[in-house]
Amino acid sequence: MSPADLAVDSGQCLLELGRTAEAHARIAEGMSLLPRARDKTRGIFLTYQAKGYLQSNDVEQALAVTSESLDLATRIGAPRCVALIRDLAPAFTPYRRVDGVPEFLERLKAC
């Protein structure tokens, strides 16, 4: 397991414990350690990060990160990442009135 994977996995555990600030820091650290050759992993890590932002009720940041993940996944052809984004999409439903959420959900339907 690489240092990037370890940092993100630690962040995931912290999210489960409700320690979102620490979780975001660990996930960001792990993402910064990823080489470009691991863009599929980056897309997956972005979905993890988005989930954490949603748990923190930071919808705008979650939307930005999820959109970045979807952009990356569609550009490089990463179906697992798109599937993770689809799994996360229902969490955006209560926020349909937030700018950008309806457009994102419609875009996701087209993928």
Side-chain angles (χ1 to χ4, degrees):
M1 181 173 277
S2 77
D5 295 298
L6 185 58
V8 171
D9 287 349
S10 297
Q12 287 281 81
C13 292
L14 290 166
L15 279 176
E16 293 297 321
L17 294 171
R19 296 166 53 184
T20 55
E22 293 170 88
H24 292 305
R26 294 294 293 162
I27 293 170
E29 175 189 341
M31 299 229 340
S32 72
L33 295 171
L34 275 178
R36 290 305 262 171
R38 295 191 60 201
D39 272 349
K40 285 183 182 179
T41 302
R42 182 178 313 283
I44 291 167
F45 286 178
L46 284 166
T47 63
Y48 297 164
Q49 193 174 44
K51 181 180 176 184
Y53 285 126
L54 282 169
Q55 288 175 346
S56 302
N57 292 317
D58 190 346
V59 180
E60 291 83 7
Q61 190 63 36
L63 181 61
V65 171
T66 308
S67 295
E68 182 182 348
S69 180
L70 185 58
D71 290 345
L72 179 62
T74 55
R75 182 174 47 89
I76 64 173
R80 179 176 170 223
C81 186
V82 174
L84 285 173
I85 295 166
R86 281 196 178 107
D87 291 345
L88 189 59
F92 282 99
T93 303
Y95 304 106
R96 284 194 171 273
R97 292 197 171 127
V98 173
D99 285 341
V101 170
E103 295 82 1
F104 168 74
L105 294 173
E106 284 301 313
R107 180 178 168 218
L108 185 57
K109 286 180 187 177
C111 291

